[in-house]
Amino acid sequence: MANPDTRKPVAGDANHPANHGRLCVKGASLHETTGQEGRLLYPLVRGRKSDWDQALDEVAGAIRNSIETYGPQSVAFYLSGQLLTEDYYVANKLAKGFLRTANVDTNSRLCMSSAVAAHKRAFGADVVPGCYEDLELADLLVLAGSNAAWAHPVLYQRMKAAAQEGRRVVVIDPRRTATSELADLHLALRPGTDTVLFNGLLSWLFDQGGLDEPYIDAHCQAFDEALVSARAAAPDVGSVAEQCDLSREDVETFYRWFASTPRTVTGFSQGVNQSVAGTDKGNAIINCHLATGRVGKPGAGPFSLTGQPNAMGGREVGGLANTLAAHMDYDSPGARSRVAGFWGTSQVADGPGLKAVDMFEAVHRGDIRVIWIMGTNPAVSLPDSARVRVALARCPTVIVSDCVAHTDTSALADILLPAAGWGEKDGTVTNSERRISRQRRFLPLPAEVKPDWWIISAVAGKLGFGGAFDYGKPADIFREHAALSAHENRGERIFNLAGLVNLTDNDYDALEPVQWPVLTGSGVTDSTRLFADGRFVTDNHRARFVAINTVLPEQKTCDDYPMVVNTGRIRDQWHTMTRTANAPRLLAHRSEPFVEIHHHDMARLNLVEGHLARLTLNNEQFVGRVRQSDGQRPGEVFIPIHWNRQFASSGVATVLTESVTDPVSGQPEAKHGRAAIKPFRASWHGRLLVRRERPRRWASDYWCHVPLNHCDSWWVAGRQPITWLDAMNDWLGGTAHVVMSDPAQGCFRAARIVNGQLEAVFMVDKDPARIPDAGWLDDCFSEPTLSESSRRALLAARDVDVEDPGAIICSCFQVGEHQIGAAIAGGVGSVAALGEQLRCGTNCGSCIPELRHLIEASVSERA
Ligand SMILES: Nc1nc2c(c(=O)[nH]1)N[C@H]1C(S)=C(S)[C@@H](COP(=O)(O)OP(=O)(O)OC[C@H]3O[C@@H](n4cnc5c(=O)[nH]c(N)nc54)[C@H](O)[C@@H]3O)O[C@H]1N2
Ligand SMILES: Nc1nc2c(c(=O)[nH]1)N[C@H]1C(S)=C(S)[C@@H](COP(=O)(O)OP(=O)(O)OC[C@H]3O[C@@H](n4cnc5c(=O)[nH]c(N)nc54)[C@H](O)[C@@H]3O)O[C@H]1N2
Ligand SMILES: [Mo]
């Protein structure tokens, strides 16, 4: 937990072309997560504190022994889009160039690999043709499988601000999201049916004369095959409507708008990529853009919205198992010898390695015996994560480089290496529009912490490859990376940083954000948009239509597991929350795992708002708070991906998503799990607050850890009744001083005060809705001596003289639902007026959809 007051707040860079200085609430809270608390500060070997020399010997020894005994493929690297390009480059080079193992993959496999594969199929290379400005210039913005309001909030603010007269937005997502606020048309399609919708669009464009035939003739190939497949799969609007479970009118409206709007951008994200048909979905979208000649033009193009800070950089260095390096695949002509010559090695891996899901299966089987995981938390994020944990537990040597000490993956590591985190590391990242930005270090490296590139290079040195890994600083690596991209590149490879090869150290430090390709001299081109001239990077320079013959995933639900499980992100948490959970204000929006479900299902299944529900699949379970959401389709639930075993008893979403992958990209299906659902029958619910660093002895069937500003807290619940007076001292870490017990109401409250300071509070109720908010109590923990009035108010859990703000809606200014409700009741009728009165929504803006929703709800209630 951070003390927000001791660190300087973070500000955006007003000159950066991507955000113009705007930050989302996670970015604006970064300073609360950069402390040393919870950090991994020194190497650990089998649980024992170690030093670098010994830890590096252990890593090098394990790799060497495994290669000698079992061959190079027994060693695997699992990398991440959290790494900087320089880190990534060095890891890829060591594994593929010197250890001769092709088993290098990255968490981008779970994220962008379907988009990568779709780009390669259509354009000949993994290229996002457009840029962010296109999302502003578009007259029709289609957002497919993207909740940008929460997942790309800064870009979303740009899209929103750019709404010019007549601009339309279509959101394609099975559930209503914060992003649908922007939608003129929301297509809540049956999950997985995007290929039908876009196949249908292609055949409709043909029927209606909406094709750009000259463009197709001059710049594309294989159109006829694509059209035949589209017509077979989606012959007419009626068939599309039926398969996608949409109304005919809505489908037709979308098709008409698409046909009549030259400036159309289709932004797509995980609702497209994370699917058994992810690559086909991507190509079905790109097909429609090619058919209308809308690629790489201002305000027109398909636009893959990338997730991680540096997913793109990882794609550029070749971190995916099927690529070699610098946008060259193993089978690109001459690639292996070119790369071997450049690196000065004869040990380049022979061919593509195992993709993430298969890689962990090979670990499970015992074929992979050493795995080095850097900057990712696969015990939480891979599908069927229960099996992934078994695989890691079985694996003879698991090496984990992370900046955080306790994660679900580090718990299974034999060797733990302390890596530098944001603010401490130095290098470059690339964003969705191919823009390379410097990330500059401004904090010292704490304790024994080292940057990832240093750790990997040091292991390379121990293995005898020091000459090829003799890097003194990130600039050395970047120049080499740029040089490889330009090496023997006469325009065949569009990823080319020739213009950055000769950067001096000072140039590198001062590097301004720049989009690739970056060519030199007379070859200088404008990299803002690519392919505008209709010349692609396939062999014959024509873009390829792809025939989409996807057989729709058969209904995966069954009598035992009837609910469709959709998983995704929430506004204020990042992935497995190893860092965002350190900022208490980021937990204020949603503090617990939850299940969003339609009220018809709630009624049918006896689920109650605010109580707990239990989702099960095989022997695994997910327990979360029930949230009624009529933006859910009946029969489908949405659960967040962020909670893990460090923060909740049963909050891991991936136990409900099975290891099913896209046949082309290998990307796992993460949006379409299945489960049985029931109320989690608790005889009591509680909230425990404890001053930090105190002994805690308690156990409950359900718990969820919520760090607060001045204390630690847990939501708890139990199936069996407990005699509170007996259990109390254990739970509070000593004698309770203030106690209130009302067994008839199932209500119990206790607090412990030591030397005048609040030490612990426990609140129990059979109805969780009656448990008070912890905000006021949290502040009481900071009082050096608890005042008499606070003491009296302890059991009410709030200062009775001050209004209770309610659940926090605006994280930036900590404005709660009750305050907003009161303002609306008092006549405030717009988001702007709310902002004037309470400041909510005036910083990052990501709560605006919820503010608008509250205003609308109150209007419709009054009506
Ligand atoms: N707050 C926050 N922001 C983040 C992240 C984070 O952890 N937290 N992570 C970053 C990363 S790495 C990524 S990859 C991005 C992801 O960004 P997004 O892809 O926007 O986020 P998700 O919530 O994973 O999924 C998007 C939507 O896909 C919908 N969906 C599910 N099934 C289907 C389907 O069959 N068809 C369609 N069309 N839609 C479907 C879901 O209902 C969901 O609303 O976010 C990035 N930004
Ligand atoms: N069911 C389901 N599963 C999903 C998804 C989904 O939508 N649904 N989304 C998928 C997607 S798109 C993604 S991107 C993944 C994300 O899943 P992960 O990659 O597993 O998630 P993170 O929490 O980002 O893990 C990053 C880890 O790296 C550490 N770290 C941070 N910075 C550094 C650094 O500089 N160096 C090192 N060595 N370590 C660092 C963090 O502490 C953390 O432990 O999850 C995927 N899994
Ligand atoms: Mo991602």
Side-chain angles (χ1 to χ4, degrees), residues 120-144:
K120 284 184 168 181
R121 290 205 295 193
F123 308 140
D126 174 23
V127 174
V128 176
C131 59
Y132 289 147
E133 194 192 20
D134 292 331
L135 298 158
E136 298 169 322
L137 295 176
D139 296 321
L140 175 63
L141 187 56
V142 182
L143 291 171

Side-chain angles (χ1 to χ4, degrees), residues 564-592:
V564 171
V565 178
N566 180 4
T567 68
R569 288 153 175 80
I570 62 172
R571 200 186 73 189
D572 292 358
Q573 287 299 322
W574 180 263
H575 292 168
T576 68
M577 61 200 285
T578 62
R579 308 203 59 183
T580 35
N582 287 336
R585 69 169 157 158
L586 296 181
L587 281 161
H589 180 240
R590 299 273 189 279
S591 69
E592 270 182 297

Side-chain angles (χ1 to χ4, degrees), residues 399-703:
I399 306 156
V400 173
S401 303
D402 206 294
C403 38
V404 169
H406 299 290
T407 73
D408 289 13
T409 302
S410 72
L412 297 162
D414 300 286
I415 304 172
L416 269 172
L417 305 174
W422 181 84
E424 300 155 359
K425 51 186 192 177
D426 199 36
T428 55
V429 293
T430 310
N431 70 9
S432 297
E433 58 171 4
R434 293 171 279 105
R435 192 181 296 279
I436 299 170
S437 298
R438 278 285 275 122
Q439 213 177 80
R440 296 180 182 90
R441 169 179 157 186
F442 58 92
L443 291 169
L445 294 175
E448 293 297 309
V449 165
K450 297 285 185 192
D452 288 288
W453 66 265
W454 183 94
I455 302 172
I456 305 155
S457 304
V459 168
K462 292 270 184 195
L463 286 165
F465 309 125
F469 292 85
D470 187 18
Y471 306 114
K473 52 191 165 326
D476 299 337
I477 305 166
F478 186 83
R479 281 186 289 260
E480 183 180 313
H481 164 59
L484 177 56
S485 76
H487 183 56
E488 298 177 8
N489 187 353
R490 284 164 302 265
E492 306 86 345
R493 282 134 52 207
I494 192 164
F495 173 67
N496 190 337
L497 304 182
L500 302 175
V501 173
N502 296 317
L503 291 184
T504 65
D505 290 352
N506 286 340
D507 296 339
Y508 177 76
D509 282 340
L511 186 68
E512 292 291 331
V514 55
Q515 280 179 287
W516 63 256
V518 191
L519 304 178
T520 42
S522 57
V524 176
T525 55
D526 180 1
S527 301
T528 316
R529 296 181 182 83
L530 303 177
F531 309 141
D533 56 1
R535 200 179 151 83
F536 294 87
V537 282
T538 52
D539 293 343
N540 59 5
H541 299 295
R542 283 170 174 269
R544 286 186 285 252
F545 278 94
V546 178
I548 304 300
N549 300 309
T550 321
V551 181
L552 281 191
E554 48 188 284
Q555 205 48 42
K556 285 203 296 185
T557 50
C558 56
D559 290 349
D560 286 345
Y561 303 117
M563 284 317 264
V564 171
V565 178
N566 180 4
T567 68
R569 288 153 175 80
I570 62 172
R571 200 186 73 189
D572 292 358
Q573 287 299 322
W574 180 263
H575 292 168
T576 68
M577 61 200 285
T578 62
R579 308 203 59 183
T580 35
N582 287 336
R585 69 169 157 158
L586 296 181
L587 281 161
H589 180 240
R590 299 273 189 279
S591 69
E592 270 182 297
F594 59 84
V595 180
E596 278 178 351
I597 183 165
H598 193 277
H599 78 271
H600 287 165
D601 288 329
M602 285 172 64
R604 188 168 62 82
L605 298 158
N606 295 321
L607 295 168
V608 180
E609 170 84 15
H611 285 234
L612 295 167
R614 183 164 172 257
L615 288 153
T616 50
L617 175 67
N618 304 325
N619 296 319
E620 299 297 326
Q621 65 166 355
F622 174 98
V623 179
R625 262 321 136 197
V626 175
R627 292 177 64 91
Q628 176 181 330
S629 165
D630 293 347
Q632 274 308 121
R633 292 161 50 95
E636 298 169 14
V637 294
F638 177 81
I639 59 173
I641 60 170
H642 307 286
W643 276 270
N644 54 67
R645 295 167 188 85
Q646 311 301 311
F647 286 92
S649 52
S650 330
V652 181
T654 46
V655 300
L656 304 179
T657 51
E658 289 152 294
S659 286
V660 189
T661 57
D662 178 285
V664 184
S665 68
Q667 178 155 354
E669 168 75 75
K671 296 285 184 255
H672 204 157
R674 57 177 178 161
I677 182 165
K678 278 198 186 127
F680 177 94
R681 301 237 177 258
S683 50
W684 57 270
H685 295 262
R687 185 92 191 251
L688 176 66
L689 287 82
V690 184
R691 179 176 293 284
R692 315 197 51 248
E693 296 124 34
R694 287 285 145 186
R696 304 184 281 261
R697 261 184 57 204
W698 54 272
S700 63
D701 297 314
Y702 168 81
W703 60 265

Side-chain angles (χ1 to χ4, degrees), residues 170-184:
V170 177
V171 169
I172 303 171
D173 192 312
R175 62 185 188 121
R176 193 169 67 228
T177 63
T179 307
S180 358
E181 166 221 37
L182 203 60
D184 300 287

Side-chain angles (χ1 to χ4, degrees), residues 2 7-8 10 29-37 39 421-424 442-443 446 579 582:
R7 299 197 189 98
K8 282 201 191 130
V10 176
S29 307
L30 269 168
H31 60 290
E32 296 182 29
T33 69
T34 50
Q36 295 198 10
E37 189 133 7
R39 287 293 301 275
W422 181 84
E424 300 155 359
F442 58 92
L443 291 169
R579 308 203 59 183
N582 287 336

